[in-house]
Amino acid sequence: MAEEEGVAPRNVRGKAKLAFLGRTRVGKLPVNFRDGVAIGPNSTELSALAGRLGRDANLLPFHFLKWPLVDIEYKDRVMMEIKQHFDFPDECNKYVFKQLNAAWKDEKGDLKREYFTPFATREDRIANRPDKVPEDQWTVLVEYWENPKTHEKAGKNTLNRKRHKIMHTGGSKSFMKHAVEIEEDPERDAPSGTPATRLEIFRKTHTRKDKTPINELAKEKMDQMKELADMVTDEGSSMYSTGHDDIFTQVMGPDSRGRKRCFGRATFPGELSNTTSNRDNAEVRSLKGKVVDVEEELKSTKEELKNTQQQCYDLKSTTNALQDSLKATMDEIAMMMGYFRLFLPDGVRKFVIYVIF
């Protein structure tokens, strides 16, 4: 595909070989994180494994139309597989889930381009199902993609991508890795120990190998940033990082909620309050389900208790009635005994009592 409106041609990579898994037989590979993003040794291998597993329809089924809807059991199973080979803290699971989510969505996009779009009818699309996708999952995907609302949404997304005029040249490497490379560059012109700024990351990830900007719009933005940065430097500002961050926002516009441009999948304060992780969503759904079950069980228990109380009330009423009947019978017997004593001779009275009792 030729370059169009500043969009670089799409390079399709083959499957990762995952040869590094042989090293995990003697121990897990440690991975370091910074701001929630994997960096340093073994970070590329972690991304490769997450990318491979995220594209497997048997591990993360494709009939779940959105990532938050994927059952937590599937995600936990994949996370356990990854943690058999890599050593990283649980608080960094969110980064790995983002990697899985990206691969999961990319695979469905590739399947749509290769096995759905080229065919005009549902019969042909179903008949040309890719072997790696189970039939039930593929049927759900085809029905979803054929839905007019889905088609309309896809068209809007295509237009939005075409409006994005400045594509980065950072490749598959995370922005955080680019930031580390900037900080380790001995020729960097910045105060010692200062974290890489978004101006520096933008310049590095939107420049070709020959050091020229990716297109004219990128060059225009870089020139504006440099001019404003020089003004800050001339004023002797000591707030290097803050000043550069303000300049980036001034030139590129404000960030959207829960996202900080030029930092990729990094996690920042406030993000967790703006967006809920998939695991949290799944746990909330699970807890809600358990609450419903408990409420149903409580309702059933209340009904049983009510029935038991009614049975006790009926039993008590029956017991009272029997007691009243017994008392009346005893009263009649006592009265008869009184008559016997008054009107019958002693010998006859004893005989009658003997016959009755």
Side-chain angles (χ1 to χ4, degrees):
M1 181 176 64
E3 185 172 331
E4 179 182 7
E5 297 183 357
V7 178
R10 181 175 179 268
N11 296 321
V12 180
R13 291 173 290 164
K15 287 186 176 181
K17 298 298 183 180
L18 305 184
F20 62 85
L21 292 180
R23 289 187 282 139
T24 65
R25 295 173 183 171
V26 296
K28 296 182 181 180
L29 303 180
V31 183
N32 295 323
F33 280 76
R34 171 175 165 181
D35 291 332
V37 176
I39 60 173
N42 304 320
S43 58
T44 300
E45 289 82 351
L46 174 61
S47 296
L49 181 58
R52 171 70 68 84
L53 299 180
R55 289 176 173 269
D56 192 332
N58 295 309
L59 295 177
L60 295 169
F62 293 155
H63 64 269
F64 295 104
L65 300 180
K66 295 183 179 180
W67 180 253
L69 300 179
V70 178
D71 287 344
I72 192 63
E73 290 79 7
Y74 292 108
K75 297 177 182 177
D76 283 342
R77 181 174 61 184
V78 175
M79 183 62 70
M80 289 177 61
E81 172 67 20
I82 292 174
K83 289 205 168 186
Q84 287 181 1
H85 305 284
F86 294 94
D87 181 24
F88 55 87
D90 289 341
E91 55 264 28
C92 297
N93 288 359
K94 182 176 182 179
Y95 169 82
V96 180
F97 279 127
K98 287 182 178 180
Q99 295 275 353
L100 291 169
N101 179 17
W104 187 74
K105 292 194 296 186
D106 287 346
E107 180 66 12
K108 290 204 288 187
D110 292 343
L111 292 173
K112 183 179 181 182
R113 278 188 294 271
E114 296 178 26
Y115 299 96
F116 176 86
T117 304
F119 304 100
T121 65
R122 174 175 295 189
E123 291 74 14
D124 289 339
R125 290 161 176 166
I126 296 296
N128 288 277
R129 171 181 62 87
D131 294 336
K132 58 185 176 181
V133 181
E135 184 176 354
D136 58 334
Q137 296 186 31
W138 182 247
T139 302
V140 172
L141 286 176
V142 170
E143 292 177 352
Y144 174 71
W145 288 330
E146 288 181 342
N147 188 302
K149 292 184 178 180
T150 303
H151 186 72
E152 180 183 357
K153 182 179 179 180
K156 291 181 180 179
N157 291 337
T158 300
L159 290 176
N160 290 335
R161 285 192 295 270
K162 288 184 177 181
R163 293 192 186 102
H164 191 58
K165 305 297 183 180
I166 309 178
M167 302 300 291
H168 73 79
T169 59
S172 60
K173 187 185 300 183
S174 70
F175 282 91
M176 190 59 68
K177 290 183 180 179
H178 284 290
V180 173
E181 291 179 357
I182 292 172
E183 295 164 3
E184 294 176 349
D185 185 358
E187 298 181 0
R188 182 191 181 203
D189 183 19
S192 177
T194 305
T197 66
R198 291 204 277 179
L199 266 64
E200 295 172 301
I201 298 173
F202 181 85
R203 188 182 306 115
K204 185 176 188 296
T205 57
H206 293 79
T207 301
R208 302 181 189 274
K209 292 182 179 180
D210 60 2
K211 305 300 182 181
T212 60
I214 184 68
N215 57 23
E216 285 300 320
L217 182 57
K219 182 179 183 302
E220 178 184 335
K221 298 296 184 181
M222 291 180 190
D223 290 342
Q224 294 178 16
M225 293 177 189
K226 184 179 184 305
E227 181 179 353
L228 293 173
D230 290 341
M231 293 173 58
V232 172
T233 303
D234 291 341
E235 293 175 0
S237 173
S238 60
M239 301 181 67
Y240 182 83
S241 298
T242 303
H244 277 210
D245 191 72
D246 292 341
I247 291 171
F248 181 88
T249 303
Q250 183 176 342
V251 174
M252 302 299 295
D255 294 312
S256 59
R257 187 178 66 175
R259 177 175 177 264
K260 195 170 185 179
R261 288 168 296 179
C262 287
F263 282 106
R265 296 187 174 94
T267 301
F268 297 93
E271 181 180 348
L272 294 178
S273 62
N274 291 328
T275 59
T276 304
S277 69
N278 295 324
R279 175 179 291 272
D280 290 341
N281 283 335
E283 289 180 350
V284 168
R285 291 195 299 271
S286 176
L287 289 174
K288 286 183 177 179
K290 291 179 180 179
V291 169
V292 171
D293 292 341
V294 171
E295 289 178 345
E296 290 294 332
E297 185 176 353
L298 181 60
K299 182 179 179 181
S300 176
T301 303
K302 286 182 177 179
E303 290 293 333
E304 292 179 359
L305 180 60
K306 183 178 179 181
N307 293 335
T308 302
Q309 289 176 336
Q310 182 63 41
Q311 291 175 359
C312 290
Y313 177 79
D314 294 341
L315 181 60
K316 184 177 180 180
S317 299
T318 302
T319 302
N320 291 336
L322 290 174
Q323 288 177 342
D324 292 340
S325 177
L326 179 61
K327 184 176 183 302
T329 301
M330 295 301 294
D331 289 342
E332 290 179 0
I333 293 174
M335 184 174 62
M336 291 174 60
M337 292 295 295
Y339 288 147
F340 292 161
R341 292 190 185 95
L342 290 175
F343 301 108
L344 295 178
D346 184 64
V348 176
R349 184 172 64 249
K350 290 181 179 180
F351 175 77
V352 172
I353 293 174
Y354 172 78
V355 171
I356 294 176
F357 296 102

